[in-house]
PDB file of all heavy atoms in Angstrom:
ATOM      1  N   THR A   7       0.846  -1.196  -0.031  1.00  0.00           N
ATOM      2  CA  THR A   7       0.034   0.001   0.020  1.00  0.00           C
ATOM      3  C   THR A   7       0.870   1.248   0.003  1.00  0.00           C
ATOM      4  O   THR A   7       0.345   2.411   0.161  1.00  0.00           O
ATOM      5  CB  THR A   7      -0.896   0.049   1.228  1.00  0.00           C
ATOM      6  OG1 THR A   7      -0.126  -0.031   2.438  1.00  0.00           O
ATOM      7  CG2 THR A   7      -1.967  -1.117   1.206  1.00  0.00           C
ATOM      8  N   GLU A   8       2.222   1.123  -0.130  1.00  0.00           N
ATOM      9  CA  GLU A   8       3.051   2.259  -0.181  1.00  0.00           C
ATOM     10  C   GLU A   8       2.897   3.037  -1.480  1.00  0.00           C
ATOM     11  O   GLU A   8       2.466   2.448  -2.550  1.00  0.00           O
ATOM     12  CB  GLU A   8       4.507   1.799   0.027  1.00  0.00           C
ATOM     13  CG  GLU A   8       4.786   1.247   1.391  1.00  0.00           C
ATOM     14  CD  GLU A   8       6.167   0.838   1.640  1.00  0.00           C
ATOM     15  OE1 GLU A   8       6.967   1.071   0.689  1.00  0.00           O
ATOM     16  OE2 GLU A   8       6.449   0.372   2.650  1.00  0.00           O
ATOM     17  N   GLY A   9       3.279   4.332  -1.456  1.00  0.00           N
ATOM     18  CA  GLY A   9       3.214   5.077  -2.690  1.00  0.00           C
ATOM     19  C   GLY A   9       1.836   5.739  -2.855  1.00  0.00           C
ATOM     20  O   GLY A   9       0.851   5.519  -2.074  1.00  0.00           O
ATOM     21  N   CYS A  10       1.735   6.579  -3.802  1.00  0.00           N
ATOM     22  CA  CYS A  10       0.520   7.332  -4.023  1.00  0.00           C
ATOM     23  C   CYS A  10      -0.670   6.524  -4.276  1.00  0.00           C
ATOM     24  O   CYS A  10      -1.849   6.817  -3.878  1.00  0.00           O
ATOM     25  CB  CYS A  10       0.622   8.454  -5.053  1.00  0.00           C
ATOM     26  SG  CYS A  10       1.066   7.789  -6.767  1.00  0.00           S
ATOM     27  N   CYS A  11      -0.599   5.418  -4.988  1.00  0.00           N
ATOM     28  CA  CYS A  11      -1.648   4.588  -5.376  1.00  0.00           C
ATOM     29  C   CYS A  11      -1.652   3.089  -5.009  1.00  0.00           C
ATOM     30  O   CYS A  11      -2.673   2.475  -5.174  1.00  0.00           O
ATOM     31  CB  CYS A  11      -1.793   4.673  -7.014  1.00  0.00           C
ATOM     32  SG  CYS A  11      -1.942   6.290  -7.661  1.00  0.00           S
ATOM     33  N   GLY A  12      -0.567   2.746  -4.386  1.00  0.00           N
ATOM     34  CA  GLY A  12      -0.414   1.266  -3.987  1.00  0.00           C
ATOM     35  C   GLY A  12      -0.202   0.422  -5.238  1.00  0.00           C
ATOM     36  O   GLY A  12      -0.003   0.884  -6.386  1.00  0.00           O
ATOM     37  N   TYR A  13      -0.278  -0.773  -4.940  1.00  0.00           N
ATOM     38  CA  TYR A  13      -0.173  -1.868  -6.039  1.00  0.00           C
ATOM     39  C   TYR A  13      -1.553  -2.408  -6.320  1.00  0.00           C
ATOM     40  O   TYR A  13      -2.236  -2.771  -5.540  1.00  0.00           O
ATOM     41  CB  TYR A  13       0.763  -3.048  -5.656  1.00  0.00           C
ATOM     42  CG  TYR A  13       2.169  -2.733  -5.576  1.00  0.00           C
ATOM     43  CD1 TYR A  13       2.663  -1.367  -5.482  1.00  0.00           C
ATOM     44  CD2 TYR A  13       3.085  -3.682  -5.470  1.00  0.00           C
ATOM     45  CE1 TYR A  13       4.028  -1.113  -5.289  1.00  0.00           C
ATOM     46  CE2 TYR A  13       4.518  -3.556  -5.439  1.00  0.00           C
ATOM     47  CZ  TYR A  13       4.932  -2.172  -5.266  1.00  0.00           C
ATOM     48  OH  TYR A  13       6.249  -1.898  -5.178  1.00  0.00           O
ATOM     49  N   GLU A  14      -1.926  -2.236  -7.574  1.00  0.00           N
ATOM     50  CA  GLU A  14      -3.201  -2.846  -8.113  1.00  0.00           C
ATOM     51  C   GLU A  14      -2.934  -4.189  -8.717  1.00  0.00           C
ATOM     52  O   GLU A  14      -2.080  -4.283  -9.733  1.00  0.00           O
ATOM     53  CB  GLU A  14      -3.855  -1.843  -9.003  1.00  0.00           C
ATOM     54  CG  GLU A  14      -5.200  -2.438  -9.618  1.00  0.00           C
ATOM     55  CD  GLU A  14      -5.726  -1.558 -10.731  1.00  0.00           C
ATOM     56  OE1 GLU A  14      -5.027  -0.559 -11.029  1.00  0.00           O
ATOM     57  OE2 GLU A  14      -6.696  -1.972 -11.347  1.00  0.00           O
ATOM     58  N   LEU A  15      -3.637  -5.203  -8.438  1.00  0.00           N
ATOM     59  CA  LEU A  15      -3.596  -6.572  -9.016  1.00  0.00           C
ATOM     60  C   LEU A  15      -4.554  -6.435 -10.185  1.00  0.00           C
ATOM     61  O   LEU A  15      -5.787  -6.459  -9.987  1.00  0.00           O
ATOM     62  CB  LEU A  15      -3.916  -7.655  -8.115  1.00  0.00           C
ATOM     63  CG  LEU A  15      -3.897  -9.034  -8.681  1.00  0.00           C
ATOM     64  CD1 LEU A  15      -2.658  -9.442  -9.256  1.00  0.00           C
ATOM     65  CD2 LEU A  15      -4.426 -10.091  -7.663  1.00  0.00           C
ATOM     66  N   VAL A  16      -3.989  -6.434 -11.405  1.00  0.00           N
ATOM     67  CA  VAL A  16      -4.758  -6.369 -12.615  1.00  0.00           C
ATOM     68  C   VAL A  16      -5.303  -7.767 -13.082  1.00  0.00           C
ATOM     69  O   VAL A  16      -6.396  -8.010 -13.557  1.00  0.00           O
ATOM     70  CB  VAL A  16      -4.007  -5.694 -13.735  1.00  0.00           C
ATOM     71  CG1 VAL A  16      -4.813  -5.649 -14.969  1.00  0.00           C
ATOM     72  CG2 VAL A  16      -3.661  -4.247 -13.374  1.00  0.00           C
ATOM     73  N   GLU A  17      -4.379  -8.815 -13.039  1.00  0.00           N
ATOM     74  CA  GLU A  17      -4.668 -10.022 -13.558  1.00  0.00           C
ATOM     75  C   GLU A  17      -3.778 -11.057 -12.757  1.00  0.00           C
ATOM     76  O   GLU A  17      -2.610 -10.714 -12.466  1.00  0.00           O
ATOM     77  CB  GLU A  17      -4.380 -10.176 -15.057  1.00  0.00           C
ATOM     78  CG  GLU A  17      -4.695 -11.508 -15.675  1.00  0.00           C
ATOM     79  CD  GLU A  17      -4.470 -11.410 -17.131  1.00  0.00           C
ATOM     80  OE1 GLU A  17      -3.331 -11.557 -17.609  1.00  0.00           O
ATOM     81  OE2 GLU A  17      -5.576 -11.412 -17.823  1.00  0.00           O
ATOM     82  N   GLU A  18      -4.203 -12.318 -12.608  1.00  0.00           N
ATOM     83  CA  GLU A  18      -3.471 -13.290 -11.980  1.00  0.00           C
ATOM     84  C   GLU A  18      -3.741 -14.647 -12.519  1.00  0.00           C
ATOM     85  O   GLU A  18      -4.988 -14.925 -12.752  1.00  0.00           O
ATOM     86  CB  GLU A  18      -3.692 -13.369 -10.403  1.00  0.00           C
ATOM     87  CG  GLU A  18      -2.905 -14.386  -9.655  1.00  0.00           C
ATOM     88  CD  GLU A  18      -3.121 -14.327  -8.172  1.00  0.00           C
ATOM     89  OE1 GLU A  18      -4.179 -13.732  -7.800  1.00  0.00           O
ATOM     90  OE2 GLU A  18      -2.248 -14.879  -7.522  1.00  0.00           O
ATOM     91  N   LYS A  19      -2.795 -15.402 -12.934  1.00  0.00           N
ATOM     92  CA  LYS A  19      -2.992 -16.750 -13.440  1.00  0.00           C
ATOM     93  C   LYS A  19      -2.020 -17.738 -12.648  1.00  0.00           C
ATOM     94  O   LYS A  19      -0.835 -17.600 -12.707  1.00  0.00           O
ATOM     95  CB  LYS A  19      -2.578 -16.889 -14.995  1.00  0.00           C
ATOM     96  CG  LYS A  19      -3.525 -15.961 -15.836  1.00  0.00           C
ATOM     97  CD  LYS A  19      -3.206 -16.117 -17.297  1.00  0.00           C
ATOM     98  CE  LYS A  19      -4.084 -15.263 -18.151  1.00  0.00           C
ATOM     99  NZ  LYS A  19      -3.833 -15.322 -19.645  1.00  0.00           N
ATOM    100  N   ASP A  20      -2.669 -18.637 -12.053  1.00  0.00           N
ATOM    101  CA  ASP A  20      -2.002 -19.618 -11.181  1.00  0.00           C
ATOM    102  C   ASP A  20      -1.724 -20.957 -11.877  1.00  0.00           C
ATOM    103  O   ASP A  20      -2.591 -21.849 -11.853  1.00  0.00           O
ATOM    104  CB  ASP A  20      -2.796 -19.853  -9.842  1.00  0.00           C
ATOM    105  CG  ASP A  20      -1.921 -20.586  -8.833  1.00  0.00           C
ATOM    106  OD1 ASP A  20      -0.944 -21.242  -9.296  1.00  0.00           O
ATOM    107  OD2 ASP A  20      -2.180 -20.554  -7.664  1.00  0.00           O
ATOM    108  N   TYR A  21      -0.605 -20.964 -12.569  1.00  0.00           N
ATOM    109  CA  TYR A  21      -0.268 -22.213 -13.316  1.00  0.00           C
ATOM    110  C   TYR A  21       0.413 -23.199 -12.374  1.00  0.00           C
ATOM    111  O   TYR A  21       0.970 -24.240 -12.873  1.00  0.00           O
ATOM    112  CB  TYR A  21       0.607 -21.883 -14.493  1.00  0.00           C
ATOM    113  CG  TYR A  21       0.020 -21.002 -15.569  1.00  0.00           C
ATOM    114  CD1 TYR A  21       0.498 -19.730 -15.803  1.00  0.00           C
ATOM    115  CD2 TYR A  21      -1.126 -21.365 -16.233  1.00  0.00           C
ATOM    116  CE1 TYR A  21      -0.064 -18.980 -16.806  1.00  0.00           C
ATOM    117  CE2 TYR A  21      -1.777 -20.606 -17.205  1.00  0.00           C
ATOM    118  CZ  TYR A  21      -1.166 -19.414 -17.529  1.00  0.00           C
ATOM    119  OH  TYR A  21      -1.876 -18.560 -18.412  1.00  0.00           O
ATOM    120  N   ILE A  22       0.489 -22.997 -11.100  1.00  0.00           N
ATOM    121  CA  ILE A  22       0.874 -23.963 -10.182  1.00  0.00           C
ATOM    122  C   ILE A  22      -0.289 -24.888  -9.760  1.00  0.00           C
ATOM    123  O   ILE A  22      -0.092 -26.003  -9.867  1.00  0.00           O
ATOM    124  CB  ILE A  22       1.631 -23.321  -8.891  1.00  0.00           C
ATOM    125  CG1 ILE A  22       2.815 -22.312  -9.352  1.00  0.00           C
ATOM    126  CG2 ILE A  22       1.944 -24.318  -7.847  1.00  0.00           C
ATOM    127  CD1 ILE A  22       3.318 -21.543  -8.166  1.00  0.00           C
ATOM    128  N   ARG A  23      -1.340 -24.279  -9.342  1.00  0.00           N
ATOM    129  CA  ARG A  23      -2.496 -25.037  -8.981  1.00  0.00           C
ATOM    130  C   ARG A  23      -3.168 -25.658 -10.207  1.00  0.00           C
ATOM    131  O   ARG A  23      -3.871 -26.670 -10.211  1.00  0.00           O
ATOM    132  CB  ARG A  23      -3.431 -24.183  -8.142  1.00  0.00           C
ATOM    133  CG  ARG A  23      -2.753 -23.886  -6.766  1.00  0.00           C
ATOM    134  CD  ARG A  23      -3.991 -23.308  -5.921  1.00  0.00           C
ATOM    135  NE  ARG A  23      -3.489 -23.130  -4.524  1.00  0.00           N
ATOM    136  CZ  ARG A  23      -3.200 -21.921  -4.025  1.00  0.00           C
ATOM    137  NH1 ARG A  23      -3.383 -20.827  -4.584  1.00  0.00           N
ATOM    138  NH2 ARG A  23      -2.750 -21.864  -2.774  1.00  0.00           N
ATOM    139  N   HIS A  24      -2.985 -24.958 -11.385  1.00  0.00           N
ATOM    140  CA  HIS A  24      -3.617 -25.318 -12.598  1.00  0.00           C
ATOM    141  C   HIS A  24      -2.597 -25.304 -13.724  1.00  0.00           C
ATOM    142  O   HIS A  24      -2.446 -24.305 -14.489  1.00  0.00           O
ATOM    143  CB  HIS A  24      -4.777 -24.383 -12.951  1.00  0.00           C
ATOM    144  CG  HIS A  24      -5.824 -24.279 -11.853  1.00  0.00           C
ATOM    145  ND1 HIS A  24      -6.813 -25.273 -11.576  1.00  0.00           N
ATOM    146  CD2 HIS A  24      -6.090 -23.280 -10.940  1.00  0.00           C
ATOM    147  CE1 HIS A  24      -7.503 -24.877 -10.443  1.00  0.00           C
ATOM    148  NE2 HIS A  24      -6.981 -23.745 -10.141  1.00  0.00           N
ATOM    149  N   ALA A  25      -1.758 -26.309 -13.749  1.00  0.00           N
ATOM    150  CA  ALA A  25      -0.622 -26.399 -14.686  1.00  0.00           C
ATOM    151  C   ALA A  25      -1.134 -26.343 -16.200  1.00  0.00           C
ATOM    152  O   ALA A  25      -2.216 -26.766 -16.505  1.00  0.00           O
ATOM    153  CB  ALA A  25       0.157 -27.628 -14.502  1.00  0.00           C
ATOM    154  N   LYS A  26      -0.273 -25.688 -17.015  1.00  0.00           N
ATOM    155  CA  LYS A  26      -0.528 -25.789 -18.511  1.00  0.00           C
ATOM    156  C   LYS A  26      -0.532 -27.295 -18.890  1.00  0.00           C
ATOM    157  O   LYS A  26       0.209 -28.092 -18.307  1.00  0.00           O
ATOM    158  CB  LYS A  26       0.380 -24.967 -19.262  1.00  0.00           C
ATOM    159  CG  LYS A  26       0.172 -23.477 -19.130  1.00  0.00           C
ATOM    160  CD  LYS A  26       1.126 -22.582 -19.984  1.00  0.00           C
ATOM    161  CE  LYS A  26       0.796 -21.162 -19.842  1.00  0.00           C
ATOM    162  NZ  LYS A  26       1.593 -20.380 -20.822  1.00  0.00           N
ATOM    163  N   PRO A  27      -1.129 -27.596 -20.121  1.00  0.00           N
ATOM    164  CA  PRO A  27      -1.052 -28.932 -20.524  1.00  0.00           C
ATOM    165  C   PRO A  27       0.267 -29.591 -20.773  1.00  0.00           C
ATOM    166  O   PRO A  27       0.462 -30.757 -20.588  1.00  0.00           O
ATOM    167  CB  PRO A  27      -1.887 -28.893 -21.953  1.00  0.00           C
ATOM    168  CG  PRO A  27      -2.701 -27.645 -21.819  1.00  0.00           C
ATOM    169  CD  PRO A  27      -1.930 -26.709 -20.863  1.00  0.00           C
ATOM    170  N   ASN A  28       1.200 -28.706 -21.034  1.00  0.00           N
ATOM    171  CA  ASN A  28       2.620 -29.255 -21.266  1.00  0.00           C
ATOM    172  C   ASN A  28       3.402 -29.491 -19.892  1.00  0.00           C
ATOM    173  O   ASN A  28       4.514 -29.862 -19.973  1.00  0.00           O
ATOM    174  CB  ASN A  28       3.404 -28.337 -22.232  1.00  0.00           C
ATOM    175  CG  ASN A  28       3.739 -26.979 -21.602  1.00  0.00           C
ATOM    176  OD1 ASN A  28       3.181 -26.575 -20.668  1.00  0.00           O
ATOM    177  ND2 ASN A  28       4.727 -26.290 -22.189  1.00  0.00           N
ATOM    178  N   GLY A  29       2.742 -29.080 -18.774  1.00  0.00           N
ATOM    179  CA  GLY A  29       3.451 -29.241 -17.467  1.00  0.00           C
ATOM    180  C   GLY A  29       3.985 -27.923 -16.882  1.00  0.00           C
ATOM    181  O   GLY A  29       4.363 -27.937 -15.752  1.00  0.00           O
ATOM    182  N   TYR A  30       3.953 -26.881 -17.663  1.00  0.00           N
ATOM    183  CA  TYR A  30       4.443 -25.522 -17.194  1.00  0.00           C
ATOM    184  C   TYR A  30       3.788 -25.077 -15.952  1.00  0.00           C
ATOM    185  O   TYR A  30       2.517 -25.117 -15.882  1.00  0.00           O
ATOM    186  CB  TYR A  30       4.315 -24.578 -18.288  1.00  0.00           C
ATOM    187  CG  TYR A  30       4.731 -23.187 -17.867  1.00  0.00           C
ATOM    188  CD1 TYR A  30       6.157 -22.705 -17.916  1.00  0.00           C
ATOM    189  CD2 TYR A  30       3.854 -22.312 -17.348  1.00  0.00           C
ATOM    190  CE1 TYR A  30       6.532 -21.540 -17.481  1.00  0.00           C
ATOM    191  CE2 TYR A  30       4.184 -20.992 -17.055  1.00  0.00           C
ATOM    192  CZ  TYR A  30       5.574 -20.617 -17.094  1.00  0.00           C
ATOM    193  OH  TYR A  30       5.876 -19.358 -16.587  1.00  0.00           O
ATOM    194  N   ARG A  31       4.573 -24.737 -14.935  1.00  0.00           N
ATOM    195  CA  ARG A  31       4.075 -24.277 -13.667  1.00  0.00           C
ATOM    196  C   ARG A  31       4.729 -22.961 -13.350  1.00  0.00           C
ATOM    197  O   ARG A  31       5.887 -22.865 -13.318  1.00  0.00           O
ATOM    198  CB  ARG A  31       4.145 -25.311 -12.595  1.00  0.00           C
ATOM    199  CG  ARG A  31       3.316 -26.439 -12.719  1.00  0.00           C
ATOM    200  CD  ARG A  31       3.754 -27.580 -11.756  1.00  0.00           C
ATOM    201  NE  ARG A  31       2.726 -28.614 -11.668  1.00  0.00           N
ATOM    202  CZ  ARG A  31       2.678 -29.716 -12.535  1.00  0.00           C
ATOM    203  NH1 ARG A  31       3.516 -29.696 -13.541  1.00  0.00           N
ATOM    204  NH2 ARG A  31       1.771 -30.609 -12.369  1.00  0.00           N
ATOM    205  N   SER A  32       3.917 -22.015 -12.872  1.00  0.00           N
ATOM    206  CA  SER A  32       4.427 -20.685 -12.377  1.00  0.00           C
ATOM    207  C   SER A  32       3.169 -19.869 -12.069  1.00  0.00           C
ATOM    208  O   SER A  32       2.089 -20.239 -12.409  1.00  0.00           O
ATOM    209  CB  SER A  32       5.158 -19.965 -13.516  1.00  0.00           C
ATOM    210  OG  SER A  32       5.752 -18.830 -13.055  1.00  0.00           O
ATOM    211  N   LEU A  33       3.398 -18.853 -11.166  1.00  0.00           N
ATOM    212  CA  LEU A  33       2.299 -17.990 -10.890  1.00  0.00           C
ATOM    213  C   LEU A  33       2.597 -16.649 -11.554  1.00  0.00           C
ATOM    214  O   LEU A  33       3.634 -15.998 -11.304  1.00  0.00           O
ATOM    215  CB  LEU A  33       2.194 -17.840  -9.260  1.00  0.00           C
ATOM    216  CG  LEU A  33       0.952 -17.230  -8.868  1.00  0.00           C
ATOM    217  CD1 LEU A  33       0.620 -17.686  -7.338  1.00  0.00           C
ATOM    218  CD2 LEU A  33       0.919 -15.718  -8.820  1.00  0.00           C
ATOM    219  N   HIS A  34       1.699 -16.225 -12.423  1.00  0.00           N
ATOM    220  CA  HIS A  34       1.820 -14.953 -13.169  1.00  0.00           C
ATOM    221  C   HIS A  34       0.901 -13.929 -12.594  1.00  0.00           C
ATOM    222  O   HIS A  34      -0.232 -14.148 -12.338  1.00  0.00           O
ATOM    223  CB  HIS A  34       1.498 -15.196 -14.591  1.00  0.00           C
ATOM    224  CG  HIS A  34       2.500 -16.108 -15.318  1.00  0.00           C
ATOM    225  ND1 HIS A  34       2.577 -16.027 -16.611  1.00  0.00           N
ATOM    226  CD2 HIS A  34       3.378 -16.919 -14.931  1.00  0.00           C
ATOM    227  CE1 HIS A  34       3.509 -16.919 -16.992  1.00  0.00           C
ATOM    228  NE2 HIS A  34       4.044 -17.409 -15.964  1.00  0.00           N
ATOM    229  N   MET A  35       1.457 -12.715 -12.414  1.00  0.00           N
ATOM    230  CA  MET A  35       0.643 -11.574 -11.950  1.00  0.00           C
ATOM    231  C   MET A  35       0.966 -10.306 -12.813  1.00  0.00           C
ATOM    232  O   MET A  35       2.087 -10.103 -13.226  1.00  0.00           O
ATOM    233  CB  MET A  35       1.070 -11.170 -10.471  1.00  0.00           C
ATOM    234  CG  MET A  35       0.888 -12.394  -9.555  1.00  0.00           C
ATOM    235  SD  MET A  35       1.678 -12.018  -7.971  1.00  0.00           S
ATOM    236  CE  MET A  35       0.860 -10.536  -7.427  1.00  0.00           C
ATOM    237  N   ILE A  36      -0.130  -9.628 -13.066  1.00  0.00           N
ATOM    238  CA  ILE A  36       0.057  -8.326 -13.801  1.00  0.00           C
ATOM    239  C   ILE A  36      -0.307  -7.294 -12.687  1.00  0.00           C
ATOM    240  O   ILE A  36      -1.472  -7.343 -12.194  1.00  0.00           O
ATOM    241  CB  ILE A  36      -0.734  -8.061 -14.960  1.00  0.00           C
ATOM    242  CG1 ILE A  36      -0.527  -9.203 -16.001  1.00  0.00           C
ATOM    243  CG2 ILE A  36      -0.562  -6.723 -15.599  1.00  0.00           C
ATOM    244  CD1 ILE A  36       0.848  -9.240 -16.579  1.00  0.00           C
ATOM    245  N   LEU A  37       0.604  -6.551 -12.235  1.00  0.00           N
ATOM    246  CA  LEU A  37       0.327  -5.426 -11.296  1.00  0.00           C
ATOM    247  C   LEU A  37       0.449  -4.049 -12.045  1.00  0.00           C
ATOM    248  O   LEU A  37       1.028  -3.945 -13.077  1.00  0.00           O
ATOM    249  CB  LEU A  37       1.594  -5.407 -10.234  1.00  0.00           C
ATOM    250  CG  LEU A  37       1.706  -6.747  -9.388  1.00  0.00           C
ATOM    251  CD1 LEU A  37       3.002  -6.669  -8.557  1.00  0.00           C
ATOM    252  CD2 LEU A  37       0.537  -6.959  -8.429  1.00  0.00           C
ATOM    253  N   ARG A  38      -0.308  -3.123 -11.469  1.00  0.00           N
ATOM    254  CA  ARG A  38      -0.137  -1.715 -11.943  1.00  0.00           C
ATOM    255  C   ARG A  38       0.455  -0.957 -10.776  1.00  0.00           C
ATOM    256  O   ARG A  38      -0.193  -0.848  -9.755  1.00  0.00           O
ATOM    257  CB  ARG A  38      -1.541  -1.258 -12.400  1.00  0.00           C
ATOM    258  CG  ARG A  38      -1.441  -0.032 -13.228  1.00  0.00           C
ATOM    259  CD  ARG A  38      -2.836   0.245 -13.991  1.00  0.00           C
ATOM    260  NE  ARG A  38      -2.769   1.451 -14.791  1.00  0.00           N
ATOM    261  CZ  ARG A  38      -2.288   1.604 -16.036  1.00  0.00           C
ATOM    262  NH1 ARG A  38      -1.786   0.525 -16.546  1.00  0.00           N
ATOM    263  NH2 ARG A  38      -2.318   2.782 -16.599  1.00  0.00           N
TER     264      ARG A  38
END
């Protein structure tokens, strides 16, 4: 919450709990 606007979570894709078909795992986030 630091800064004038803080961090906004725009999008999140959890490829750890829901792996891609090829097995790829990672947690992706788009912050603003």
Side-chain angles (χ1 to χ4, degrees):
T7 57
E8 295 181 1
C10 63
C11 302
Y13 288 18
E14 175 192 355
L15 179 61
V16 176
E17 183 178 74
E18 181 174 22
K19 294 182 179 179
D20 190 340
Y21 296 119
I22 298 176
R23 293 192 171 108
H24 306 284
K26 288 188 175 183
N28 69 343
Y30 174 86
R31 289 169 169 83
S32 186
L33 195 154
H34 290 200
M35 304 165 63
I36 304 297
L37 302 168
R38 197 165 176 87

